[in-house]
Amino acid sequence: MKKTYPNVTLDCTFQTPDNSQPSLPIEEGQCLNGVISKITGGFRFEEAVKSRRPKRNPKLFDGNYCSLVHMQNGKYQIHMKTINASGITNRQYLAFKVYSELLNAFNIID
């Protein structure tokens, strides 16, 4: 079933190579993988992290310790990556690095 929404506001969140600079403008005919969500007053498009194949729940953030996924039900989910416990010499430093990465992931949500 095709549905058209005329005259809507579309907010876009794009991935950048180093997550610090704004993305380049979208060129005509360019395709992006991501998620479109209906929000109050319009819609939001969130570009997925570039990967080989499109995934069902695309990653919006992919760091060293965690990743952020946008679920099909509209909620966000944080996935923690496996940590080698024998390689941890300073637990406070590791906790700070994980905390910093979580803040970066949450900044993607707005």
Side-chain angles (χ1 to χ4, degrees):
M1 178 171 145
K2 184 176 180 181
K3 200 163 206 172
T4 305
Y5 294 92
N7 304 320
V8 299
T9 301
L10 177 64
D11 296 325
C12 298
T13 303
F14 299 108
Q15 295 292 331
T16 58
D18 60 4
N19 287 328
S20 63
Q21 300 174 11
S23 326
L24 299 173
I26 301 173
E27 296 180 19
E28 188 173 332
Q30 180 181 0
C31 294
L32 300 172
N33 290 324
V35 177
I36 293 181
S37 305
K38 188 171 185 181
I39 58 173
T40 305
F43 293 85
R44 176 183 306 161
F45 172 77
E46 296 166 306
E47 183 183 12
V49 173
K50 307 254 188 282
S51 65
R52 294 182 189 169
R53 59 183 166 84
K55 296 189 177 181
R56 187 173 179 161
N57 296 323
K59 287 183 184 177
L60 301 176
F61 177 85
D62 191 18
N64 294 321
Y65 303 102
C66 68
S67 59
L68 174 70
V69 174
H70 192 166
M71 306 298 287
Q72 289 183 336
N73 63 6
K75 296 181 180 180
Y76 296 89
Q77 189 173 60
I78 292 284
H79 293 178
M80 293 302 297
K81 296 186 178 181
T82 303
I83 297 172
N84 181 2
S86 64
I88 299 172
T89 56
N90 185 341
R91 292 180 185 203
Q92 287 182 323
Y93 179 72
L94 173 65
F96 177 75
K97 296 296 280 182
V98 171
Y99 168 76
S100 298
E101 204 166 273
L102 285 171
L103 288 178
N104 288 334
F106 289 140
N107 284 335
I108 303 244
I109 295 174
D110 280 332

PDB file of all heavy atoms in Angstrom, residues 63-80:
ATOM      1  N   GLY A  63      30.589   1.984  17.844  1.00  0.00           N
ATOM      2  CA  GLY A  63      31.839   2.365  18.499  1.00  0.00           C
ATOM      3  C   GLY A  63      32.674   1.156  18.891  1.00  0.00           C
ATOM      4  O   GLY A  63      32.401   0.027  18.487  1.00  0.00           O
ATOM      5  N   ASN A  64      33.693   1.396  19.700  1.00  0.00           N
ATOM      6  CA  ASN A  64      34.573   0.323  20.166  1.00  0.00           C
ATOM      7  C   ASN A  64      33.932  -0.528  21.254  1.00  0.00           C
ATOM      8  O   ASN A  64      34.229  -1.710  21.381  1.00  0.00           O
ATOM      9  CB  ASN A  64      35.883   0.904  20.702  1.00  0.00           C
ATOM     10  CG  ASN A  64      36.690   1.559  19.618  1.00  0.00           C
ATOM     11  OD1 ASN A  64      36.745   1.066  18.503  1.00  0.00           O
ATOM     12  ND2 ASN A  64      37.317   2.673  19.929  1.00  0.00           N
ATOM     13  N   TYR A  65      33.065   0.080  22.066  1.00  0.00           N
ATOM     14  CA  TYR A  65      32.496  -0.615  23.224  1.00  0.00           C
ATOM     15  C   TYR A  65      30.997  -0.864  23.104  1.00  0.00           C
ATOM     16  O   TYR A  65      30.466  -1.749  23.767  1.00  0.00           O
ATOM     17  CB  TYR A  65      32.763   0.173  24.508  1.00  0.00           C
ATOM     18  CG  TYR A  65      34.228   0.430  24.734  1.00  0.00           C
ATOM     19  CD1 TYR A  65      34.793   1.671  24.466  1.00  0.00           C
ATOM     20  CD2 TYR A  65      35.061  -0.586  25.190  1.00  0.00           C
ATOM     21  CE1 TYR A  65      36.146   1.900  24.658  1.00  0.00           C
ATOM     22  CE2 TYR A  65      36.419  -0.367  25.385  1.00  0.00           C
ATOM     23  CZ  TYR A  65      36.952   0.877  25.116  1.00  0.00           C
ATOM     24  OH  TYR A  65      38.297   1.096  25.304  1.00  0.00           O
ATOM     25  N   CYS A  66      30.304  -0.054  22.299  1.00  0.00           N
ATOM     26  CA  CYS A  66      28.863  -0.218  22.176  1.00  0.00           C
ATOM     27  C   CYS A  66      28.384   0.217  20.799  1.00  0.00           C
ATOM     28  O   CYS A  66      29.112   0.855  20.042  1.00  0.00           O
ATOM     29  CB  CYS A  66      28.136   0.568  23.262  1.00  0.00           C
ATOM     30  SG  CYS A  66      28.253   2.356  23.084  1.00  0.00           S
ATOM     31  N   SER A  67      27.143  -0.161  20.490  1.00  0.00           N
ATOM     32  CA  SER A  67      26.500   0.303  19.266  1.00  0.00           C
ATOM     33  C   SER A  67      25.064   0.684  19.607  1.00  0.00           C
ATOM     34  O   SER A  67      24.489   0.185  20.579  1.00  0.00           O
ATOM     35  CB  SER A  67      26.549  -0.767  18.175  1.00  0.00           C
ATOM     36  OG  SER A  67      25.905  -1.935  18.596  1.00  0.00           O
ATOM     37  N   LEU A  68      24.489   1.573  18.801  1.00  0.00           N
ATOM     38  CA  LEU A  68      23.115   2.038  18.995  1.00  0.00           C
ATOM     39  C   LEU A  68      22.295   1.576  17.804  1.00  0.00           C
ATOM     40  O   LEU A  68      22.674   1.800  16.657  1.00  0.00           O
ATOM     41  CB  LEU A  68      23.084   3.564  19.103  1.00  0.00           C
ATOM     42  CG  LEU A  68      21.698   4.210  19.154  1.00  0.00           C
ATOM     43  CD1 LEU A  68      21.026   3.898  20.488  1.00  0.00           C
ATOM     44  CD2 LEU A  68      21.806   5.708  18.962  1.00  0.00           C
ATOM     45  N   VAL A  69      21.165   0.923  18.085  1.00  0.00           N
ATOM     46  CA  VAL A  69      20.297   0.374  17.053  1.00  0.00           C
ATOM     47  C   VAL A  69      18.923   1.008  17.180  1.00  0.00           C
ATOM     48  O   VAL A  69      18.436   1.239  18.288  1.00  0.00           O
ATOM     49  CB  VAL A  69      20.192  -1.166  17.223  1.00  0.00           C
ATOM     50  CG1 VAL A  69      19.190  -1.759  16.273  1.00  0.00           C
ATOM     51  CG2 VAL A  69      21.541  -1.810  17.043  1.00  0.00           C
ATOM     52  N   HIS A  70      18.308   1.329  16.035  1.00  0.00           N
ATOM     53  CA  HIS A  70      16.927   1.809  16.028  1.00  0.00           C
ATOM     54  C   HIS A  70      16.028   0.619  15.695  1.00  0.00           C
ATOM     55  O   HIS A  70      16.098   0.070  14.612  1.00  0.00           O
ATOM     56  CB  HIS A  70      16.765   2.910  14.986  1.00  0.00           C
ATOM     57  CG  HIS A  70      15.476   3.643  15.107  1.00  0.00           C
ATOM     58  ND1 HIS A  70      15.251   4.824  14.482  1.00  0.00           N
ATOM     59  CD2 HIS A  70      14.343   3.378  15.800  1.00  0.00           C
ATOM     60  CE1 HIS A  70      14.040   5.252  14.753  1.00  0.00           C
ATOM     61  NE2 HIS A  70      13.477   4.385  15.555  1.00  0.00           N
ATOM     62  N   MET A  71      15.198   0.234  16.640  1.00  0.00           N
ATOM     63  CA  MET A  71      14.341  -0.936  16.485  1.00  0.00           C
ATOM     64  C   MET A  71      13.132  -0.592  15.611  1.00  0.00           C
ATOM     65  O   MET A  71      12.772   0.573  15.459  1.00  0.00           O
ATOM     66  CB  MET A  71      13.865  -1.422  17.858  1.00  0.00           C
ATOM     67  CG  MET A  71      14.994  -1.698  18.849  1.00  0.00           C
ATOM     68  SD  MET A  71      16.092  -2.999  18.311  1.00  0.00           S
ATOM     69  CE  MET A  71      15.033  -4.402  18.578  1.00  0.00           C
ATOM     70  N   GLN A  72      12.482  -1.604  15.071  1.00  0.00           N
ATOM     71  CA  GLN A  72      11.320  -1.386  14.211  1.00  0.00           C
ATOM     72  C   GLN A  72      10.135  -0.817  14.980  1.00  0.00           C
ATOM     73  O   GLN A  72       9.260  -0.191  14.385  1.00  0.00           O
ATOM     74  CB  GLN A  72      10.923  -2.688  13.526  1.00  0.00           C
ATOM     75  CG  GLN A  72      11.916  -3.090  12.464  1.00  0.00           C
ATOM     76  CD  GLN A  72      11.495  -4.346  11.737  1.00  0.00           C
ATOM     77  OE1 GLN A  72      10.741  -5.157  12.254  1.00  0.00           O
ATOM     78  NE2 GLN A  72      11.991  -4.504  10.532  1.00  0.00           N
ATOM     79  N   ASN A  73      10.103  -0.983  16.296  1.00  0.00           N
ATOM     80  CA  ASN A  73       9.004  -0.441  17.092  1.00  0.00           C
ATOM     81  C   ASN A  73       9.228   1.030  17.455  1.00  0.00           C
ATOM     82  O   ASN A  73       8.470   1.612  18.210  1.00  0.00           O
ATOM     83  CB  ASN A  73       8.779  -1.273  18.360  1.00  0.00           C
ATOM     84  CG  ASN A  73       9.966  -1.259  19.300  1.00  0.00           C
ATOM     85  OD1 ASN A  73      10.935  -0.545  19.089  1.00  0.00           O
ATOM     86  ND2 ASN A  73       9.886  -2.074  20.339  1.00  0.00           N
ATOM     87  N   GLY A  74      10.314   1.639  16.924  1.00  0.00           N
ATOM     88  CA  GLY A  74      10.587   3.055  17.152  1.00  0.00           C
ATOM     89  C   GLY A  74      11.488   3.330  18.340  1.00  0.00           C
ATOM     90  O   GLY A  74      11.900   4.463  18.545  1.00  0.00           O
ATOM     91  N   LYS A  75      11.799   2.322  19.132  1.00  0.00           N
ATOM     92  CA  LYS A  75      12.663   2.506  20.293  1.00  0.00           C
ATOM     93  C   LYS A  75      14.122   2.308  19.898  1.00  0.00           C
ATOM     94  O   LYS A  75      14.428   1.718  18.863  1.00  0.00           O
ATOM     95  CB  LYS A  75      12.281   1.527  21.401  1.00  0.00           C
ATOM     96  CG  LYS A  75      10.881   1.780  21.939  1.00  0.00           C
ATOM     97  CD  LYS A  75      10.539   0.815  23.040  1.00  0.00           C
ATOM     98  CE  LYS A  75       9.128   1.104  23.548  1.00  0.00           C
ATOM     99  NZ  LYS A  75       8.759   0.188  24.608  1.00  0.00           N
ATOM    100  N   TYR A  76      15.014   2.801  20.745  1.00  0.00           N
ATOM    101  CA  TYR A  76      16.450   2.658  20.524  1.00  0.00           C
ATOM    102  C   TYR A  76      17.003   1.631  21.497  1.00  0.00           C
ATOM    103  O   TYR A  76      16.505   1.501  22.615  1.00  0.00           O
ATOM    104  CB  TYR A  76      17.162   3.999  20.732  1.00  0.00           C
ATOM    105  CG  TYR A  76      16.740   5.040  19.724  1.00  0.00           C
ATOM    106  CD1 TYR A  76      15.663   5.866  19.962  1.00  0.00           C
ATOM    107  CD2 TYR A  76      17.424   5.181  18.527  1.00  0.00           C
ATOM    108  CE1 TYR A  76      15.274   6.816  19.037  1.00  0.00           C
ATOM    109  CE2 TYR A  76      17.051   6.129  17.597  1.00  0.00           C
ATOM    110  CZ  TYR A  76      15.969   6.939  17.860  1.00  0.00           C
ATOM    111  OH  TYR A  76      15.591   7.871  16.933  1.00  0.00           O
ATOM    112  N   GLN A  77      18.043   0.920  21.069  1.00  0.00           N
ATOM    113  CA  GLN A  77      18.635  -0.105  21.928  1.00  0.00           C
ATOM    114  C   GLN A  77      20.157   0.004  21.855  1.00  0.00           C
ATOM    115  O   GLN A  77      20.723   0.176  20.778  1.00  0.00           O
ATOM    116  CB  GLN A  77      18.189  -1.482  21.440  1.00  0.00           C
ATOM    117  CG  GLN A  77      18.545  -2.612  22.361  1.00  0.00           C
ATOM    118  CD  GLN A  77      17.917  -3.909  21.879  1.00  0.00           C
ATOM    119  OE1 GLN A  77      18.184  -4.351  20.778  1.00  0.00           O
ATOM    120  NE2 GLN A  77      17.067  -4.494  22.711  1.00  0.00           N
ATOM    121  N   ILE A  78      20.792  -0.063  23.027  1.00  0.00           N
ATOM    122  CA  ILE A  78      22.252  -0.049  23.112  1.00  0.00           C
ATOM    123  C   ILE A  78      22.731  -1.491  23.215  1.00  0.00           C
ATOM    124  O   ILE A  78      22.210  -2.270  24.015  1.00  0.00           O
ATOM    125  CB  ILE A  78      22.726   0.732  24.362  1.00  0.00           C
ATOM    126  CG1 ILE A  78      22.413   2.212  24.225  1.00  0.00           C
ATOM    127  CG2 ILE A  78      24.200   0.506  24.629  1.00  0.00           C
ATOM    128  CD1 ILE A  78      23.329   2.969  23.296  1.00  0.00           C
ATOM    129  N   HIS A  79      23.711  -1.850  22.401  1.00  0.00           N
ATOM    130  CA  HIS A  79      24.331  -3.168  22.476  1.00  0.00           C
ATOM    131  C   HIS A  79      25.764  -2.996  22.947  1.00  0.00           C
ATOM    132  O   HIS A  79      26.528  -2.240  22.346  1.00  0.00           O
ATOM    133  CB  HIS A  79      24.347  -3.852  21.100  1.00  0.00           C
ATOM    134  CG  HIS A  79      22.996  -4.199  20.581  1.00  0.00           C
ATOM    135  ND1 HIS A  79      22.792  -4.780  19.373  1.00  0.00           N
ATOM    136  CD2 HIS A  79      21.761  -4.040  21.120  1.00  0.00           C
ATOM    137  CE1 HIS A  79      21.509  -4.976  19.177  1.00  0.00           C
ATOM    138  NE2 HIS A  79      20.863  -4.524  20.220  1.00  0.00           N
ATOM    139  N   MET A  80      26.125  -3.678  24.017  1.00  0.00           N
ATOM    140  CA  MET A  80      27.503  -3.644  24.497  1.00  0.00           C
ATOM    141  C   MET A  80      28.294  -4.722  23.767  1.00  0.00           C
ATOM    142  O   MET A  80      27.799  -5.813  23.531  1.00  0.00           O
ATOM    143  CB  MET A  80      27.562  -3.896  26.004  1.00  0.00           C
ATOM    144  CG  MET A  80      26.943  -2.784  26.826  1.00  0.00           C
ATOM    145  SD  MET A  80      27.690  -1.166  26.567  1.00  0.00           S
ATOM    146  CE  MET A  80      29.334  -1.446  27.144  1.00  0.00           C
TER     147      MET A  80
END
